[in-house]
Amino acid sequence: MCLAVPGRVLDIEERDGTRMATVDFGGVVKEVCLEYLPDLEVGEYAIVHVGFALQRLDEESARHTLDLFAQLGMLQEEFGDPWELAAAEAGAAVPPAYAADAAVDPAGEAQR
């Protein structure tokens, strides 16, 4: 499933003529293209889909949505490691490389 996820802009820079931002999605940080929202500023929130900021969002709405996604496990599904998720869904043990970072319960939810 692909989600449009709200995130907070941490910093902005231009790379090869493209305005890019580092965006925090409730603890997961990713690079995002700002070409559709060229006036977005550091500290603001935007809805991001497949690496593009699509719409500005107020902080209260963004935080509420991130909380709901976290409760439903959707942030892990969207941003989690696909190998780790597949292993958890298959009931396999977490590979040693992941064991130090997270434990996975039988339902597939990462525990931190």
Side-chain angles (χ1 to χ4, degrees):
M1 174 187 338
C2 291
L3 298 174
V5 181
R8 182 175 179 271
V9 176
L10 300 177
D11 65 39
I12 297 172
E13 65 181 58
E14 189 166 316
R15 284 192 226 136
D16 300 321
T18 302
R19 197 159 184 254
M20 299 293 291
T22 303
V23 177
D24 178 11
F25 300 96
V28 176
V29 177
K30 299 280 184 178
E31 295 299 309
V32 171
C33 179
L34 298 182
E35 289 299 300
Y36 297 131
L37 293 175
D39 60 340
L40 196 65
E41 297 180 11
V42 171
E44 289 188 298
Y45 287 80
I47 294 176
V48 177
H49 179 64
V50 293
F52 289 87
L54 300 177
Q55 181 178 346
R56 184 175 275 108
L57 188 64
D58 65 275
E59 182 176 356
E60 182 181 345
S61 296
R63 289 183 183 272
H64 179 72
T65 301
L66 285 169
D67 287 344
L68 288 173
F69 283 178
Q71 288 173 17
L72 296 170
M74 295 175 86
L75 288 178
Q76 179 66 14
E77 181 178 318
E78 185 70 13
F79 295 121
D81 182 291
W83 297 108
E84 179 183 354
L85 292 171
E89 288 174 6
V94 177
Y98 296 111
D101 293 333
V104 178
D105 69 18
E109 298 293 327
Q111 305 295 313
R112 299 241 180 242

